Amino acid sequence: MLETIKNSLLTGVGMALRSKKEIEALAKEFAEQSEMNQKEAKDFLEECKKRYDDAKSSLDKKIEQVVESALKRLDLPTHGEIDALNARIDELSEKFEKDA
């Protein structure tokens, strides 16, 4: 039973949507209420932090993919494409000024 509750607390996206401090507070409260010894509580807190970081990183990557996909569908230029165009304009401007 305790393991089930522990695993429920550590599930993916829900953790990523909370702040790190909230996760730490929940983990500490859970450790106190479940009467874990100090090493178990420390290990559990570290596991919570690691899973939080992993879930947040995964969520951030997914958001980037969704935004990138939406931008492609909208046919908007990327930052790199705009930079390349600006560089080309600068080249052409310099060439035009030399010829004038």
Side-chain angles (χ1 to χ4, degrees), residues 46-80:
E46 290 303 314
E47 185 178 352
C48 285
K49 288 178 185 179
K50 182 187 180 315
R51 289 202 187 187
Y52 170 85
D53 290 339
D54 292 346
K56 180 143 179 29
S57 176
S58 177
L59 183 61
D60 288 346
K61 286 178 186 174
K62 196 63 152 171
I63 289 170
E64 279 182 34
Q65 290 171 348
V66 168
V67 169
E68 188 175 308
S69 174
L71 290 176
K72 281 182 182 178
R73 277 186 268 138
L74 292 171
D75 201 26
L76 296 175
T78 65
H79 195 307

Side-chain angles (χ1 to χ4, degrees), residues 24-37:
E24 288 176 11
L26 284 170
K28 285 178 184 176
E29 183 181 335
F30 177 77
E32 289 170 4
Q33 289 179 358
S34 65
E35 299 175 1
M36 290 181 176
N37 67 38

Side-chain angles (χ1 to χ4, degrees), residues 2-3 6 27-28 30-45:
L2 182 61
E3 198 63 30
K6 208 165 112 174
K28 285 178 184 176
F30 177 77
E32 289 170 4
Q33 289 179 358
S34 65
E35 299 175 1
M36 290 181 176
N37 67 38
Q38 192 170 12
K39 181 177 177 358
E40 289 173 329
K42 182 181 177 200
D43 291 345
F44 179 65
L45 182 57

